[in-house]
Amino acid sequence: DSIPYQLRQTTATGTNWGTAAGSTLAQSSPGTGTAGTKYTVFAVVPTIPAATLPDNYKDTVTLTVSY
């Protein structure tokens, strides 16, 4: 089984970061030269399909940083 989800940029109702493998959305930073810029990503499950069995579900999200 799988559960469809969305990654959101700012809040659970914020900008969607894509719904398919390979989806992209740029996030910029002022580039102050100091380490430690943090970005929070929200995972949202809009609707769970009725036939979904209770279980532990996991996924891997890959982040690419370009500078």
Side-chain angles (χ1 to χ4, degrees), residues 8-60:
R8 300 290 176 108
Q9 187 174 14
T10 54
T11 66
T13 58
T15 303
N16 193 349
W17 255 348
T19 58
S23 294
T24 60
L25 181 68
Q27 174 70 43
S28 63
S29 174
T32 61
T34 60
T37 300
K38 297 180 181 181
Y39 295 100
T40 301
V41 178
F42 296 85
V44 177
V45 177
T47 323
I48 298 176
T52 303
L53 299 173
D55 202 345
N56 292 315
Y57 295 87
K58 66 180 181 176
D59 198 358
T60 301

mmCIF file of all heavy atoms in Angstrom, residues 8-60:
data_model
loop_
_atom_site.group_PDB
_atom_site.id
_atom_site.type_symbol
_atom_site.label_atom_id
_atom_site.label_comp_id
_atom_site.label_asym_id
_atom_site.label_seq_id
_atom_site.Cartn_x
_atom_site.Cartn_y
_atom_site.Cartn_z
ATOM 1 N N ARG A 8 4.873 20.552 1.543
ATOM 2 C CA ARG A 8 4.501 21.963 1.499
ATOM 3 C C ARG A 8 5.644 22.825 1.987
ATOM 4 O O ARG A 8 6.435 22.427 2.835
ATOM 5 C CB ARG A 8 3.261 22.221 2.367
ATOM 6 C CG ARG A 8 2.024 21.428 1.944
ATOM 7 C CD ARG A 8 1.488 21.951 0.623
ATOM 8 N NE ARG A 8 0.375 21.174 0.141
ATOM 9 C CZ ARG A 8 -0.880 21.597 0.125
ATOM 10 N NH1 ARG A 8 -1.175 22.795 0.579
ATOM 11 N NH2 ARG A 8 -1.821 20.831 -0.349
ATOM 12 N N GLN A 9 5.700 24.029 1.482
ATOM 13 C CA GLN A 9 6.831 24.919 1.707
ATOM 14 C C GLN A 9 6.784 25.664 3.042
ATOM 15 O O GLN A 9 7.786 25.737 3.738
ATOM 16 C CB GLN A 9 6.888 25.918 0.557
ATOM 17 C CG GLN A 9 8.090 26.794 0.541
ATOM 18 C CD GLN A 9 8.122 27.650 -0.709
ATOM 19 O OE1 GLN A 9 7.145 27.774 -1.419
ATOM 20 N NE2 GLN A 9 9.248 28.245 -0.976
ATOM 21 N N THR A 10 5.669 26.240 3.405
ATOM 22 C CA THR A 10 5.669 27.112 4.579
ATOM 23 C C THR A 10 4.757 26.644 5.709
ATOM 24 O O THR A 10 5.075 26.831 6.861
ATOM 25 C CB THR A 10 5.266 28.546 4.189
ATOM 26 O OG1 THR A 10 4.017 28.498 3.503
ATOM 27 C CG2 THR A 10 6.311 29.187 3.291
ATOM 28 N N THR A 11 3.618 26.105 5.375
ATOM 29 C CA THR A 11 2.681 25.594 6.376
ATOM 30 C C THR A 11 1.966 24.405 5.767
ATOM 31 O O THR A 11 2.130 24.095 4.586
ATOM 32 C CB THR A 11 1.611 26.638 6.767
ATOM 33 O OG1 THR A 11 0.788 26.887 5.620
ATOM 34 C CG2 THR A 11 2.224 27.936 7.270
ATOM 35 N N ALA A 12 1.144 23.770 6.548
ATOM 36 C CA ALA A 12 0.377 22.632 6.035
ATOM 37 C C ALA A 12 -0.559 23.050 4.904
ATOM 38 O O ALA A 12 -1.004 22.223 4.123
ATOM 39 C CB ALA A 12 -0.410 21.980 7.164
ATOM 40 N N THR A 13 -0.855 24.338 4.773
ATOM 41 C CA THR A 13 -1.710 24.820 3.686
ATOM 42 C C THR A 13 -0.942 25.729 2.730
ATOM 43 O O THR A 13 -1.525 26.367 1.875
ATOM 44 C CB THR A 13 -2.922 25.595 4.249
ATOM 45 O OG1 THR A 13 -2.439 26.688 5.048
ATOM 46 C CG2 THR A 13 -3.804 24.691 5.088
ATOM 47 N N GLY A 14 0.390 25.772 2.860
ATOM 48 C CA GLY A 14 1.218 26.661 2.039
ATOM 49 C C GLY A 14 1.481 26.122 0.644
ATOM 50 O O GLY A 14 0.847 25.181 0.179
ATOM 51 N N THR A 15 2.464 26.713 -0.011
ATOM 52 C CA THR A 15 2.824 26.360 -1.379
ATOM 53 C C THR A 15 3.240 24.904 -1.474
ATOM 54 O O THR A 15 4.050 24.415 -0.690
ATOM 55 C CB THR A 15 3.989 27.256 -1.858
ATOM 56 O OG1 THR A 15 3.592 28.613 -1.750
ATOM 57 C CG2 THR A 15 4.362 26.946 -3.301
ATOM 58 N N ASN A 16 2.686 24.217 -2.458
ATOM 59 C CA ASN A 16 2.983 22.800 -2.675
ATOM 60 C C ASN A 16 4.339 22.667 -3.358
ATOM 61 O O ASN A 16 4.615 23.327 -4.352
ATOM 62 C CB ASN A 16 1.878 22.205 -3.555
ATOM 63 C CG ASN A 16 1.908 20.709 -3.596
ATOM 64 O OD1 ASN A 16 2.854 20.078 -3.150
ATOM 65 N ND2 ASN A 16 0.878 20.132 -4.142
ATOM 66 N N TRP A 17 5.205 21.787 -2.831
ATOM 67 C CA TRP A 17 6.533 21.588 -3.404
ATOM 68 C C TRP A 17 6.541 20.507 -4.473
ATOM 69 O O TRP A 17 7.580 20.065 -4.894
ATOM 70 C CB TRP A 17 7.530 21.236 -2.308
ATOM 71 C CG TRP A 17 8.427 22.381 -1.980
ATOM 72 C CD1 TRP A 17 8.566 23.526 -2.681
ATOM 73 C CD2 TRP A 17 9.320 22.474 -0.875
ATOM 74 N NE1 TRP A 17 9.485 24.352 -2.083
ATOM 75 C CE2 TRP A 17 9.961 23.722 -0.968
ATOM 76 C CE3 TRP A 17 9.635 21.629 0.180
ATOM 77 C CZ2 TRP A 17 10.899 24.133 -0.042
ATOM 78 C CZ3 TRP A 17 10.570 22.049 1.096
ATOM 79 C CH2 TRP A 17 11.193 23.288 0.982
ATOM 80 N N GLY A 18 5.416 20.042 -4.922
ATOM 81 C CA GLY A 18 5.358 19.043 -5.978
ATOM 82 C C GLY A 18 4.655 17.783 -5.499
ATOM 83 O O GLY A 18 4.660 17.459 -4.323
ATOM 84 N N THR A 19 4.059 17.068 -6.440
ATOM 85 C CA THR A 19 3.296 15.883 -6.081
ATOM 86 C C THR A 19 3.795 14.625 -6.770
ATOM 87 O O THR A 19 3.198 13.579 -6.645
ATOM 88 C CB THR A 19 1.808 16.077 -6.430
ATOM 89 O OG1 THR A 19 1.712 16.358 -7.830
ATOM 90 C CG2 THR A 19 1.184 17.199 -5.628
ATOM 91 N N ALA A 20 4.877 14.729 -7.502
ATOM 92 C CA ALA A 20 5.391 13.561 -8.224
ATOM 93 C C ALA A 20 6.906 13.508 -8.102
ATOM 94 O O ALA A 20 7.552 14.515 -7.839
ATOM 95 C CB ALA A 20 4.993 13.646 -9.703
ATOM 96 N N ALA A 21 7.447 12.315 -8.314
ATOM 97 C CA ALA A 21 8.904 12.160 -8.297
ATOM 98 C C ALA A 21 9.509 13.121 -9.313
ATOM 99 O O ALA A 21 9.005 13.265 -10.430
ATOM 100 C CB ALA A 21 9.279 10.731 -8.617
ATOM 101 N N GLY A 22 10.556 13.799 -8.934
ATOM 102 C CA GLY A 22 11.209 14.738 -9.830
ATOM 103 C C GLY A 22 10.631 16.136 -9.803
ATOM 104 O O GLY A 22 11.129 17.027 -10.469
ATOM 105 N N SER A 23 9.569 16.360 -9.015
ATOM 106 C CA SER A 23 8.990 17.699 -8.915
ATOM 107 C C SER A 23 9.987 18.638 -8.244
ATOM 108 O O SER A 23 10.731 18.234 -7.365
ATOM 109 C CB SER A 23 7.710 17.659 -8.076
ATOM 110 O OG SER A 23 6.722 16.914 -8.720
ATOM 111 N N THR A 24 9.987 19.876 -8.672
ATOM 112 C CA THR A 24 10.905 20.841 -8.073
ATOM 113 C C THR A 24 10.197 22.161 -7.804
ATOM 114 O O THR A 24 9.226 22.503 -8.456
ATOM 115 C CB THR A 24 12.105 21.125 -8.999
ATOM 116 O OG1 THR A 24 11.630 21.665 -10.235
ATOM 117 C CG2 THR A 24 12.911 19.869 -9.268
ATOM 118 N N LEU A 25 10.705 22.878 -6.830
ATOM 119 C CA LEU A 25 10.300 24.245 -6.550
ATOM 120 C C LEU A 25 11.479 24.902 -5.874
ATOM 121 O O LEU A 25 12.006 24.384 -4.895
ATOM 122 C CB LEU A 25 9.068 24.293 -5.635
ATOM 123 C CG LEU A 25 8.569 25.698 -5.303
ATOM 124 C CD1 LEU A 25 7.984 26.370 -6.546
ATOM 125 C CD2 LEU A 25 7.545 25.653 -4.207
ATOM 126 N N ALA A 26 11.925 25.997 -6.394
ATOM 127 C CA ALA A 26 13.113 26.664 -5.857
ATOM 128 C C ALA A 26 12.788 27.396 -4.566
ATOM 129 O O ALA A 26 11.708 27.943 -4.405
ATOM 130 C CB ALA A 26 13.665 27.641 -6.883
ATOM 131 N N GLN A 27 13.733 27.388 -3.668
ATOM 132 C CA GLN A 27 13.666 28.168 -2.421
ATOM 133 C C GLN A 27 14.970 28.914 -2.325
ATOM 134 O O GLN A 27 16.035 28.316 -2.375
ATOM 135 C CB GLN A 27 13.492 27.235 -1.224
ATOM 136 C CG GLN A 27 13.552 27.925 0.115
ATOM 137 C CD GLN A 27 12.346 28.810 0.364
ATOM 138 O OE1 GLN A 27 11.233 28.421 0.078
ATOM 139 N NE2 GLN A 27 12.561 29.999 0.855
ATOM 140 N N SER A 28 14.917 30.222 -2.225
ATOM 141 C CA SER A 28 16.156 30.994 -2.202
ATOM 142 C C SER A 28 16.476 31.467 -0.794
ATOM 143 O O SER A 28 15.628 31.492 0.090
ATOM 144 C CB SER A 28 16.063 32.176 -3.156
ATOM 145 O OG SER A 28 15.034 33.037 -2.730
ATOM 146 N N SER A 29 17.730 31.845 -0.612
ATOM 147 C CA SER A 29 18.221 32.363 0.658
ATOM 148 C C SER A 29 19.102 33.561 0.364
ATOM 149 O O SER A 29 19.726 33.628 -0.691
ATOM 150 C CB SER A 29 19.022 31.263 1.371
ATOM 151 O OG SER A 29 19.624 31.772 2.537
ATOM 152 N N PRO A 30 19.189 34.514 1.284
ATOM 153 C CA PRO A 30 20.004 35.702 1.017
ATOM 154 C C PRO A 30 21.497 35.403 0.907
ATOM 155 O O PRO A 30 22.247 36.227 0.428
ATOM 156 C CB PRO A 30 19.717 36.616 2.206
ATOM 157 C CG PRO A 30 19.203 35.726 3.268
ATOM 158 C CD PRO A 30 18.527 34.590 2.568
ATOM 159 N N GLY A 31 21.948 34.227 1.313
ATOM 160 C CA GLY A 31 23.352 33.873 1.177
ATOM 161 C C GLY A 31 24.259 34.741 2.014
ATOM 162 O O GLY A 31 25.138 35.417 1.506
ATOM 163 N N THR A 32 24.074 34.713 3.313
ATOM 164 C CA THR A 32 24.859 35.561 4.208
ATOM 165 C C THR A 32 26.263 35.038 4.439
ATOM 166 O O THR A 32 27.076 35.706 5.068
ATOM 167 C CB THR A 32 24.154 35.685 5.575
ATOM 168 O OG1 THR A 32 24.060 34.373 6.148
ATOM 169 C CG2 THR A 32 22.776 36.285 5.435
ATOM 170 N N GLY A 33 26.563 33.836 3.973
ATOM 171 C CA GLY A 33 27.886 33.263 4.168
ATOM 172 C C GLY A 33 28.030 32.480 5.457
ATOM 173 O O GLY A 33 29.071 31.919 5.736
ATOM 174 N N THR A 34 26.978 32.441 6.250
ATOM 175 C CA THR A 34 27.025 31.664 7.485
ATOM 176 C C THR A 34 26.265 30.359 7.300
ATOM 177 O O THR A 34 25.276 30.301 6.591
ATOM 178 C CB THR A 34 26.408 32.444 8.665
ATOM 179 O OG1 THR A 34 25.046 32.739 8.349
ATOM 180 C CG2 THR A 34 27.156 33.736 8.921
ATOM 181 N N ALA A 35 26.771 29.332 7.937
ATOM 182 C CA ALA A 35 26.118 28.031 7.860
ATOM 183 C C ALA A 35 24.859 28.026 8.720
ATOM 184 O O ALA A 35 24.711 28.834 9.633
ATOM 185 C CB ALA A 35 27.075 26.942 8.334
ATOM 186 N N GLY A 36 23.975 27.133 8.431
ATOM 187 C CA GLY A 36 22.849 26.922 9.317
ATOM 188 C C GLY A 36 21.507 27.428 8.835
ATOM 189 O O GLY A 36 20.582 27.513 9.622
ATOM 190 N N THR A 37 21.365 27.770 7.562
ATOM 191 C CA THR A 37 20.049 28.150 7.073
ATOM 192 C C THR A 37 19.144 26.935 7.160
ATOM 193 O O THR A 37 19.487 25.868 6.694
ATOM 194 C CB THR A 37 20.111 28.652 5.619
ATOM 195 O OG1 THR A 37 20.974 29.782 5.564
ATOM 196 C CG2 THR A 37 18.743 29.033 5.104
ATOM 197 N N LYS A 38 17.984 27.099 7.790
ATOM 198 C CA LYS A 38 17.067 25.976 7.983
ATOM 199 C C LYS A 38 15.783 26.203 7.207
ATOM 200 O O LYS A 38 15.295 27.327 7.118
ATOM 201 C CB LYS A 38 16.739 25.800 9.465
ATOM 202 C CG LYS A 38 17.935 25.447 10.308
ATOM 203 C CD LYS A 38 17.542 25.287 11.763
ATOM 204 C CE LYS A 38 18.759 24.956 12.598
ATOM 205 N NZ LYS A 38 18.415 24.765 14.012
ATOM 206 N N TYR A 39 15.266 25.133 6.644
ATOM 207 C CA TYR A 39 13.982 25.172 5.965
ATOM 208 C C TYR A 39 13.112 24.084 6.548
ATOM 209 O O TYR A 39 13.549 22.944 6.704
ATOM 210 C CB TYR A 39 14.137 24.947 4.451
ATOM 211 C CG TYR A 39 14.902 26.048 3.770
ATOM 212 C CD1 TYR A 39 16.246 25.904 3.454
ATOM 213 C CD2 TYR A 39 14.276 27.245 3.469
ATOM 214 C CE1 TYR A 39 16.949 26.925 2.845
ATOM 215 C CE2 TYR A 39 14.977 28.276 2.860
ATOM 216 C CZ TYR A 39 16.310 28.101 2.550
ATOM 217 O OH TYR A 39 16.996 29.114 1.948
ATOM 218 N N THR A 40 11.896 24.422 6.880
ATOM 219 C CA THR A 40 10.949 23.444 7.388
ATOM 220 C C THR A 40 10.101 22.966 6.221
ATOM 221 O O THR A 40 9.654 23.760 5.402
ATOM 222 C CB THR A 40 10.046 24.073 8.462
ATOM 223 O OG1 THR A 40 10.878 24.563 9.517
ATOM 224 C CG2 THR A 40 9.069 23.063 9.014
ATOM 225 N N VAL A 41 9.898 21.668 6.151
ATOM 226 C CA VAL A 41 9.065 21.074 5.112
ATOM 227 C C VAL A 41 7.919 20.342 5.799
ATOM 228 O O VAL A 41 8.133 19.582 6.730
ATOM 229 C CB VAL A 41 9.871 20.088 4.246
ATOM 230 C CG1 VAL A 41 8.976 19.434 3.203
ATOM 231 C CG2 VAL A 41 11.039 20.799 3.593
ATOM 232 N N PHE A 42 6.715 20.589 5.350
ATOM 233 C CA PHE A 42 5.537 19.950 5.915
ATOM 234 C C PHE A 42 5.059 18.853 4.975
ATOM 235 O O PHE A 42 4.924 19.078 3.772
ATOM 236 C CB PHE A 42 4.412 20.966 6.096
ATOM 237 C CG PHE A 42 4.733 22.044 7.089
ATOM 238 C CD1 PHE A 42 5.445 23.168 6.703
ATOM 239 C CD2 PHE A 42 4.348 21.923 8.410
ATOM 240 C CE1 PHE A 42 5.759 24.167 7.609
ATOM 241 C CE2 PHE A 42 4.655 22.910 9.329
ATOM 242 C CZ PHE A 42 5.361 24.032 8.931
ATOM 243 N N ALA A 43 4.818 17.675 5.492
ATOM 244 C CA ALA A 43 4.232 16.582 4.711
ATOM 245 C C ALA A 43 2.740 16.543 5.041
ATOM 246 O O ALA A 43 2.353 16.479 6.208
ATOM 247 C CB ALA A 43 4.886 15.253 5.055
ATOM 248 N N VAL A 44 1.914 16.608 4.003
ATOM 249 C CA VAL A 44 0.471 16.663 4.185
ATOM 250 C C VAL A 44 -0.168 15.493 3.447
ATOM 251 O O VAL A 44 0.135 15.244 2.284
ATOM 252 C CB VAL A 44 -0.094 17.997 3.637
ATOM 253 C CG1 VAL A 44 -1.592 18.047 3.754
ATOM 254 C CG2 VAL A 44 0.549 19.172 4.341
ATOM 255 N N VAL A 45 -1.040 14.781 4.126
ATOM 256 C CA VAL A 45 -1.818 13.708 3.505
ATOM 257 C C VAL A 45 -3.226 14.272 3.306
ATOM 258 O O VAL A 45 -3.997 14.374 4.259
ATOM 259 C CB VAL A 45 -1.863 12.449 4.395
ATOM 260 C CG1 VAL A 45 -2.742 11.382 3.762
ATOM 261 C CG2 VAL A 45 -0.459 11.929 4.651
ATOM 262 N N PRO A 46 -3.556 14.672 2.062
ATOM 263 C CA PRO A 46 -4.856 15.302 1.833
ATOM 264 C C PRO A 46 -6.030 14.355 2.100
ATOM 265 O O PRO A 46 -7.001 14.744 2.717
ATOM 266 C CB PRO A 46 -4.839 15.732 0.381
ATOM 267 C CG PRO A 46 -3.509 15.381 -0.166
ATOM 268 C CD PRO A 46 -2.756 14.615 0.862
ATOM 269 N N THR A 47 -5.926 13.133 1.629
ATOM 270 C CA THR A 47 -6.979 12.146 1.823
ATOM 271 C C THR A 47 -6.361 10.761 1.844
ATOM 272 O O THR A 47 -5.521 10.454 1.002
ATOM 273 C CB THR A 47 -7.987 12.158 0.649
ATOM 274 O OG1 THR A 47 -8.189 13.481 0.191
ATOM 275 C CG2 THR A 47 -9.311 11.593 1.060
ATOM 276 N N ILE A 48 -6.758 9.964 2.792
ATOM 277 C CA ILE A 48 -6.266 8.584 2.846
ATOM 278 C C ILE A 48 -7.271 7.706 2.116
ATOM 279 O O ILE A 48 -8.461 7.714 2.456
ATOM 280 C CB ILE A 48 -6.087 8.119 4.307
ATOM 281 C CG1 ILE A 48 -5.042 8.981 5.002
ATOM 282 C CG2 ILE A 48 -5.713 6.644 4.348
ATOM 283 C CD1 ILE A 48 -4.857 8.668 6.464
ATOM 284 N N PRO A 49 -6.818 6.950 1.102
ATOM 285 C CA PRO A 49 -7.740 6.067 0.379
ATOM 286 C C PRO A 49 -8.437 5.101 1.340
ATOM 287 O O PRO A 49 -7.831 4.592 2.279
ATOM 288 C CB PRO A 49 -6.832 5.317 -0.590
ATOM 289 C CG PRO A 49 -5.640 6.218 -0.761
ATOM 290 C CD PRO A 49 -5.465 6.905 0.567
ATOM 291 N N ALA A 50 -9.706 4.846 1.104
ATOM 292 C CA ALA A 50 -10.524 4.025 2.000
ATOM 293 C C ALA A 50 -9.958 2.625 2.218
ATOM 294 O O ALA A 50 -10.098 2.053 3.292
ATOM 295 C CB ALA A 50 -11.950 3.936 1.467
ATOM 296 N N ALA A 51 -9.308 2.051 1.220
ATOM 297 C CA ALA A 51 -8.807 0.677 1.326
ATOM 298 C C ALA A 51 -7.418 0.590 1.974
ATOM 299 O O ALA A 51 -6.846 -0.484 2.051
ATOM 300 C CB ALA A 51 -8.763 0.040 -0.062
ATOM 301 N N THR A 52 -6.884 1.694 2.473
ATOM 302 C CA THR A 52 -5.552 1.699 3.067
ATOM 303 C C THR A 52 -5.559 0.983 4.407
ATOM 304 O O THR A 52 -6.377 1.268 5.281
ATOM 305 C CB THR A 52 -5.056 3.146 3.264
ATOM 306 O OG1 THR A 52 -5.075 3.798 2.002
ATOM 307 C CG2 THR A 52 -3.660 3.171 3.835
ATOM 308 N N LEU A 53 -4.638 0.049 4.559
ATOM 309 C CA LEU A 53 -4.534 -0.709 5.803
ATOM 310 C C LEU A 53 -3.666 0.030 6.815
ATOM 311 O O LEU A 53 -2.673 0.658 6.444
ATOM 312 C CB LEU A 53 -3.924 -2.086 5.512
ATOM 313 C CG LEU A 53 -4.722 -2.975 4.561
ATOM 314 C CD1 LEU A 53 -3.928 -4.233 4.237
ATOM 315 C CD2 LEU A 53 -6.068 -3.330 5.169
ATOM 316 N N PRO A 54 -4.021 -0.072 8.104
ATOM 317 C CA PRO A 54 -3.151 0.519 9.121
ATOM 318 C C PRO A 54 -1.779 -0.149 9.071
ATOM 319 O O PRO A 54 -1.675 -1.370 8.962
ATOM 320 C CB PRO A 54 -3.858 0.194 10.434
ATOM 321 C CG PRO A 54 -5.268 -0.097 10.055
ATOM 322 C CD PRO A 54 -5.206 -0.678 8.669
ATOM 323 N N ASP A 55 -0.734 0.629 9.092
ATOM 324 C CA ASP A 55 0.624 0.101 9.010
ATOM 325 C C ASP A 55 1.585 1.252 9.267
ATOM 326 O O ASP A 55 1.169 2.378 9.484
ATOM 327 C CB ASP A 55 0.873 -0.506 7.615
ATOM 328 C CG ASP A 55 2.003 -1.523 7.616
ATOM 329 O OD1 ASP A 55 2.776 -1.568 8.595
ATOM 330 O OD2 ASP A 55 2.126 -2.263 6.629
ATOM 331 N N ASN A 56 2.863 0.981 9.225
ATOM 332 C CA ASN A 56 3.895 2.007 9.269
ATOM 333 C C ASN A 56 4.312 2.292 7.834
ATOM 334 O O ASN A 56 4.674 1.367 7.107
ATOM 335 C CB ASN A 56 5.107 1.537 10.072
ATOM 336 C CG ASN A 56 4.786 1.399 11.535
ATOM 337 O OD1 ASN A 56 4.154 2.265 12.108
ATOM 338 N ND2 ASN A 56 5.208 0.302 12.136
ATOM 339 N N TYR A 57 4.264 3.537 7.433
ATOM 340 C CA TYR A 57 4.628 3.941 6.084
ATOM 341 C C TYR A 57 5.831 4.859 6.158
ATOM 342 O O TYR A 57 5.950 5.674 7.065
ATOM 343 C CB TYR A 57 3.461 4.658 5.397
ATOM 344 C CG TYR A 57 2.270 3.764 5.174
ATOM 345 C CD1 TYR A 57 1.298 3.598 6.154
ATOM 346 C CD2 TYR A 57 2.132 3.068 3.986
ATOM 347 C CE1 TYR A 57 0.210 2.769 5.947
ATOM 348 C CE2 TYR A 57 1.039 2.235 3.766
ATOM 349 C CZ TYR A 57 0.088 2.098 4.755
ATOM 350 O OH TYR A 57 -0.989 1.270 4.541
ATOM 351 N N LYS A 58 6.729 4.753 5.186
ATOM 352 C CA LYS A 58 7.883 5.638 5.147
ATOM 353 C C LYS A 58 8.258 5.919 3.705
ATOM 354 O O LYS A 58 7.863 5.199 2.788
ATOM 355 C CB LYS A 58 9.070 5.044 5.907
ATOM 356 C CG LYS A 58 9.641 3.791 5.286
ATOM 357 C CD LYS A 58 10.805 3.278 6.106
ATOM 358 C CE LYS A 58 11.382 2.035 5.462
ATOM 359 N NZ LYS A 58 12.574 1.575 6.174
ATOM 360 N N ASP A 59 9.029 6.974 3.523
ATOM 361 C CA ASP A 59 9.487 7.365 2.201
ATOM 362 C C ASP A 59 10.802 8.104 2.371
ATOM 363 O O ASP A 59 11.169 8.501 3.474
ATOM 364 C CB ASP A 59 8.449 8.264 1.525
ATOM 365 C CG ASP A 59 8.628 8.353 0.018
ATOM 366 O OD1 ASP A 59 9.577 7.748 -0.516
ATOM 367 O OD2 ASP A 59 7.807 9.018 -0.628
ATOM 368 N N THR A 60 11.500 8.311 1.290
ATOM 369 C CA THR A 60 12.729 9.078 1.297
ATOM 370 C C THR A 60 12.544 10.313 0.427
ATOM 371 O O THR A 60 12.061 10.209 -0.698
ATOM 372 C CB THR A 60 13.902 8.231 0.743
ATOM 373 O OG1 THR A 60 14.044 7.072 1.557
ATOM 374 C CG2 THR A 60 15.199 9.018 0.734
#
